Amino acid sequence: MRRFGVRALAGLEIGMAAGVLTQCWMLLGGWLAGFSPWSLSNLAAESFYGVRAASPAFGMPTLAGIALHLLTSAAAAIALAVVVPERWSWPMALGASCLYALAGQWALAEWVWKNYSPALHSYAPALLIWTAALLFGFCLSFTPKVVRSFTRDFLVD
C-alpha cells in the first residue's frame, strides 16, 4: 500500500474515533444543558429535513445528523493525517491539532452553519461546541503515532 493510502487510513481511524467521542460529548452536553440528547444531532440535519429536524425525538433526522458529524470528522482527520509530519512529538501534534480543530470549528460556525443549519448555529451552546472542538483536537493529536504504526504494520512502497 502506498504512503498516501496508509496516511488516509490512519486519518479515517482517528477521525471516526474522534467523531464518536465528540458525538457522545454532544449527546451528554445537550442533555446536561436541558435539551433532549438528540436535539443537536437533529438540528445538524436541518439542511436535509427542514423544520422536521427541530423535533427533540430520536428519528431519521437524528441519524442523518450523527452521520453528517461522523463524515465531517473523518474528512477533517484524513486531511490532517495526509499532511502532518509523522515525526512530530506528541506536544507538537497536540498544539497543531487543537489549532486545526478550533480553526475548523470557527470556519464551520461562520460559513456552513449560518447558511445550511441556522437553528444549530443559534441554539447550540457555544461552550459545548468549542469544548467538543478541543476534544476533537486532542484526539487528532495521536495522528502521527497512528500514522507511524500503520506505516510499520502495512506494506508501504
Side-chain angles (χ1 to χ4, degrees), residues 17-40:
V20 167
L21 186 62
T22 54
Q23 184 63 44
C24 290
W25 170 251
M26 299 294 271
L27 293 174
L28 177 66
W31 178 70
L32 290 174
F35 301 127
S36 163
W38 316 115
S39 293
L40 297 176

Side-chain angles (χ1 to χ4, degrees), residues 46-59:
E46 180 186 15
S47 60
F48 306 121
Y49 286 93
V51 283
R52 290 184 298 169
S55 167
F58 183 87

Side-chain angles (χ1 to χ4, degrees), residues 3-105:
R3 189 167 297 277
F4 178 82
V6 168
R7 288 174 162 274
L9 282 175
L12 179 64
E13 180 176 297
I14 290 283
M16 292 305 286
V20 167
L21 186 62
T22 54
Q23 184 63 44
C24 290
W25 170 251
M26 299 294 271
L27 293 174
L28 177 66
W31 178 70
L32 290 174
F35 301 127
S36 163
W38 316 115
S39 293
L40 297 176
S41 297
N42 288 349
L43 292 176
E46 180 186 15
S47 60
F48 306 121
Y49 286 93
V51 283
R52 290 184 298 169
S55 167
F58 183 87
M60 288 306 292
T62 310
L63 295 176
I66 291 171
L68 181 64
H69 177 77
L70 293 176
L71 178 70
T72 56
S73 296
I78 289 170
L80 183 69
V82 167
V83 298
V84 72
E86 49 185 277
R87 291 197 172 109
W88 270 5
S89 65
W90 185 75
M92 176 81 77
L94 177 64
S97 61
C98 283
L99 284 175
Y100 175 74
L102 290 172
Q105 177 55 42

Side-chain angles (χ1 to χ4, degrees), residues 74-155:
I78 289 170
L80 183 69
V82 167
V83 298
V84 72
E86 49 185 277
R87 291 197 172 109
W88 270 5
S89 65
W90 185 75
M92 176 81 77
L94 177 64
S97 61
C98 283
L99 284 175
Y100 175 74
L102 290 172
Q105 177 55 42
W106 178 80
L108 279 173
E110 288 299 314
W111 293 313
V112 178
W113 288 359
K114 283 184 179 178
N115 296 319
Y116 297 104
S117 185
L120 181 62
H121 180 70
S122 300
Y123 295 113
L127 181 62
L128 178 68
I129 300 296
W130 289 103
T131 306
L134 283 174
L135 183 61
F136 185 72
F138 175 77
C139 292
L140 291 183
S141 69
F142 296 99
T143 301
K145 182 178 181 178
V146 174
V147 168
R148 285 191 302 268
S149 172
F150 272 43
T151 302
R152 184 180 60 244
D153 293 343
F154 292 101
L155 177 64

